[in-house]
Amino acid sequence: MSRIFDTDLQYAMSTRAIHAGQRPDPTSGAIMTPIYQTSTYAQEGLGRNKGYEYARGKNPTREALERNIASLESGTHGFAFGSGMGCLDSIMKLFKAGDRIVCADNMYGGTPRLFDRILVNYGLKFSYVDTRDPQRVADALTPDVRAVIIETPTNPLMHLTDIAAVAGLVKQHGALLIVDNTFATPVFQRPLELGADIVFHSTTKYLNGHSDMIGGAAVVRDDELAARLQFILNAAGAVPGPFDAWLVLRGTKTLTLRMAAHDANGRSIAHFLDQRLGSERVFYPGLPSHPQFELAKRQMSGFGAMISFELGSKAEAERVMGRFRLFAIAESLGGVESLVNHPASMTHASVPPERRAALGITDGLVRFSVGVEDVNDLLADVEHALAR
Ligand SMILES: *Cc1c(COP(=O)(O)O)cnc(C)c1O
């Protein structure tokens, strides 16, 4: 855990992205945070040290990253983990056997896999709900519910959940609201400001932004919750190495620039697909035809670069995906390069086929993570791929 420097709060997001949580190295003045590649710290005597004892608990490179992300998310305490799933697994250790968690029915594929195939074995209970409708969340809040977990927009169908509305219900119930903010990033959406208790990320995606590491992070505002998470972080130890922490810290410096470029490219490509395929086949929260466009405008300050579209069959998806020259066929998202993915056989292959069908993750669905290349080059690539 690292608490943000209070002095960082006076600055705007783009300034904090570059400076928050970091100070020039006191030994040398190095402008960039050093990679403290160490497992332990020399102590001055018994019980006397500089606040660092063993690197599972604390590492200065990791702390700089934790403060930086905490500041971007308008929180007070940040926690870095070795992956997004490691982060979520550690968050879930806040709960105990018999506790029930209400979970959005269209989360990242690895989330229900962790819940239904591992955590149920430890006595946690899960209810899956379509959280687009806050009333359904309200109806699911039985006395054993300790937390509600949502992702908005969702992957790959771009469903939104009204964070402020759900936060109100969850608070009234005395439970915690946990939000996966990987897709929107704090540049476009800050769940803690809307009443969420814990926000978390796969830093593998936009926060790092260069597809060269795996990591996770969580941010909270409450001191007691922060102390519990720090205890879990140190006791369970799902922490990142200092080099990976440093890569994300370098990535967040350009986060606001990258997100603006992703957003501009995402809007252009979504509009192109909308005209080419028809609105009912394109899923993007920034299109006026998106059923939750009003909520998107209210809750997000940008729509990002994740777009899904329906090509009707697996054969057509395969044909089109094989014709791209710039978009690489790959899992993951959020890097500077454009990727194309087939959710049914790639990112969401771990979701049982009946559940995929019920959610609308068809065999003809294709998902883009639009990068920050020149938009005309990308549009030409999409046009070429779709051509018969
Ligand atoms: C990738 C991803 C995760 C999992 O994160 P890892 O870093 O791959 O463990 C969780 N949620 C969302 C929305 C993701 O895209």
Side-chain angles (χ1 to χ4, degrees):
M1 161 180 70
S2 303
R3 192 174 208 296
I4 57 168
F5 296 139
D6 290 337
T7 48
D8 287 338
L9 293 172
Q10 60 190 299
Y11 297 110
M13 166 88 60
S14 52
T15 307
R16 281 184 282 133
I18 295 166
H19 295 287
Q22 300 150 74
R23 295 290 181 268
D25 176 46
T27 320
S28 64
I31 200 81
M32 287 299 135
T33 304
I35 302 166
Y36 285 88
Q37 194 73 42
T38 189
S39 59
T40 191
Y41 308 89
Q43 308 201 15
E44 289 137 35
L46 290 189
R48 283 189 291 122
N49 59 56
K50 295 177 160 39
Y52 298 91
E53 293 159 56
Y54 185 60
R56 180 171 3 88
K58 268 183 170 191
N59 174 288
T61 315
R62 195 170 90 213
E63 288 181 296
L65 171 66
E66 291 172 331
R67 287 190 295 257
N68 183 259
I69 298 179
S71 164
L72 296 178
E73 281 288 4
S74 299
T76 53
H77 301 81
F79 306 83
F81 293 90
S83 70
M85 295 321 296
C87 174
L88 180 59
D89 186 56
S90 289
I91 290 170
M92 297 311 290
K93 290 186 167 78
L94 291 166
F95 306 106
K96 57 183 193 314
D99 288 351
R100 181 176 292 280
I101 317 295
V102 172
C103 180
D105 64 0
N106 175 215
M107 300 284 287
Y108 171 74
T111 297
R113 178 175 60 189
L114 173 69
F115 291 175
D116 297 345
R117 297 185 55 187
I118 299 181
L119 298 182
V120 284
N121 299 326
Y122 297 86
L124 291 182
K125 298 184 211 149
F126 298 94
S127 311
Y128 292 91
V129 171
D130 183 346
T131 57
R132 281 177 295 181
D133 180 0
Q135 187 56 46
R136 296 200 187 198
V137 178
D139 293 344
L141 293 175
T142 48
D144 55 351
V145 170
R146 296 287 172 266
V148 172
I149 177 165
I150 61 171
E151 185 182 317
T152 177
T154 63
N155 178 11
L157 293 167
M158 311 300 151
H159 292 171
L160 304 191
T161 294
D162 186 332
I163 300 173
V166 170
L169 294 167
V170 173
K171 182 161 265 130
Q172 214 170 27
H173 188 76
L176 297 177
L177 177 61
I178 304 168
V179 181
D180 182 338
N181 203 30
T182 301
F183 266 40
T185 82
V187 176
F188 294 144
Q189 173 174 282
R190 287 177 298 284
L192 297 180
E193 291 179 6
L194 299 171
D197 299 286
I198 304 176
V199 58
F200 77 97
H201 283 268
S202 167
T203 55
T204 313
K205 315 293 170 53
Y206 288 108
L207 294 193
N208 173 61
H210 295 74
S211 307
D212 52 13
M213 52 71 69
I214 296 281
V219 177
V220 304
R221 280 180 160 175
D222 179 76
D223 290 345
E224 198 253 356
L225 192 54
R228 289 171 66 202
L229 277 171
Q230 173 61 23
F231 182 82
I232 295 168
L233 177 145
N234 182 49
V239 295
F243 181 57
D244 283 351
W246 182 87
L247 281 172
V248 186
L249 192 58
R250 186 167 75 158
T252 56
K253 288 183 192 298
T254 55
L255 183 66
T256 56
L257 299 173
R258 284 186 287 107
M259 292 315 292
H262 280 297
D263 187 54
N265 284 358
R267 289 180 202 223
S268 297
I269 293 193
H271 280 104
F272 175 85
L273 289 170
D274 183 71
Q275 299 203 322
R276 186 61 192 261
L277 302 173
S279 347
E280 67 295 342
R281 286 167 67 188
V282 184
F283 306 94
Y284 182 68
L287 287 174
S289 55
H290 189 285
Q292 296 171 292
F293 182 56
E294 290 308 316
L295 173 60
K297 284 194 294 186
R298 187 165 81 237
Q299 177 164 281
M300 306 170 74
S301 58
F303 306 116
M306 298 305 300
I307 306 168
S308 296
F309 50 101
E310 178 56 63
L311 289 176
S313 67
K314 184 168 183 187
E316 178 64 358
E318 201 163 6
R319 184 191 76 82
V320 169
M321 287 178 72
R323 288 169 55 84
F324 287 105
R325 293 160 176 158
L326 280 172
F327 283 81
I329 301 177
E331 305 216 359
S332 199
L333 60 108
V336 288
E337 68 292 320
S338 292
L339 303 178
V340 58
N341 161 49
H342 182 245
S345 67
M346 296 169 66
T347 44
H348 289 67
S350 69
V351 179
E354 325 77 67
R355 192 143 150 191
R356 279 206 305 269
L359 287 169
I361 303 174
T362 63
D363 285 350
L365 193 74
V366 171
R367 188 195 78 185
F368 278 159
S369 169
V370 179
V372 299
E373 300 95 335
D374 181 90
V375 73
N376 292 319
D377 288 337
L378 294 178
L379 286 167
D381 200 32
V382 177
E383 170 120 62
H384 170 263
L386 289 173
R388 285 245 139 233

